Amino acid sequence: MVATTGTSDVRTSVAMNLQFTRGRHGAAARLEVHERPAGRVGLLALRGWVDLSAERGIERVLDDLANRGVARLVVDCSQLLHVDYRLVPRLADALVRFEAHSGTVVMCGLSRYLRDVFRIAGCESRLCCWPTASDLLDAAHPAAGHGCERAS
């Protein structure tokens, strides 16, 4: 069910929860695609521990978003706890592929630990990082939180 809280040029056309792996060290994500006047913006909020199975799932999501015309992607890592450092180059390659095929990618909310993991894997310089996803989305559209649709 979608409840409209007002009129706006911004609306969420897709919102879904994804479960990549289960268990104590499972990985999941919240995916939202927002229709904006300048094109589609995706928000992929990652959670948990990224292992090989989860990384492959993230790659599939990125490829699907690129094929569906998402022009900009925000990857929110504020709830991401761990990424196997051996998988960081694969993840970085998938993000670079998205960028080459579709548009821009910005990673937000990386903890100091995760920034170190990306640096140790030699991938820190390949990614554009921003402090928080809400700062970035608010900068892109100041009224994004007011008068938009909410899924329930």
Side-chain angles (χ1 to χ4, degrees):
M1 173 182 217
V2 177
T4 304
T5 59
T7 60
S8 177
D9 291 339
V10 179
R11 51 182 267 264
T12 302
S13 60
V14 174
M16 66 179 72
N17 294 315
L18 307 167
Q19 186 75 41
F20 298 119
T21 57
R22 298 190 183 279
R24 183 172 154 219
H25 296 288
R30 168 82 175 170
L31 172 64
E32 297 178 4
V33 177
H34 301 271
E35 295 290 339
R36 298 269 169 95
R40 289 184 181 135
V41 176
L43 173 62
L44 182 64
L46 301 174
R47 295 187 304 270
W49 291 53
V50 174
D51 60 6
L52 181 60
S53 179
E55 193 279 330
R56 287 179 179 160
I58 294 168
E59 281 186 52
R60 286 191 299 272
V61 169
L62 293 172
D63 291 342
D64 191 47
L65 290 172
N67 291 332
R68 294 182 185 275
V70 173
R72 287 174 279 157
L73 178 64
V74 177
V75 181
D76 182 0
C77 300
S78 61
Q79 295 180 6
L80 187 61
L81 301 174
H82 176 74
V83 178
D84 184 332
Y85 77 93
R86 296 167 294 191
L87 299 175
V88 170
R90 286 180 58 135
L91 184 58
D93 288 344
L95 292 166
V96 168
R97 250 191 340 268
F98 175 90
E99 209 165 30
H101 182 269
S102 204
T104 58
V105 176
V106 176
M107 293 188 72
C108 302
L110 281 170
S111 66
R112 182 173 299 201
Y113 165 73
L114 288 173
R115 284 192 309 263
D116 286 344
V117 170
F118 275 81
R119 185 179 45 76
I120 288 168
C123 297
E124 184 181 42
S125 64
R126 297 170 60 189
L127 304 173
C128 177
C129 295
W130 196 265
T132 67
S134 61
D135 289 346
L136 185 62
L137 291 174
D138 288 344
H141 196 282
H146 307 287
C148 62
E149 296 177 352
R150 298 197 191 282
S152 61

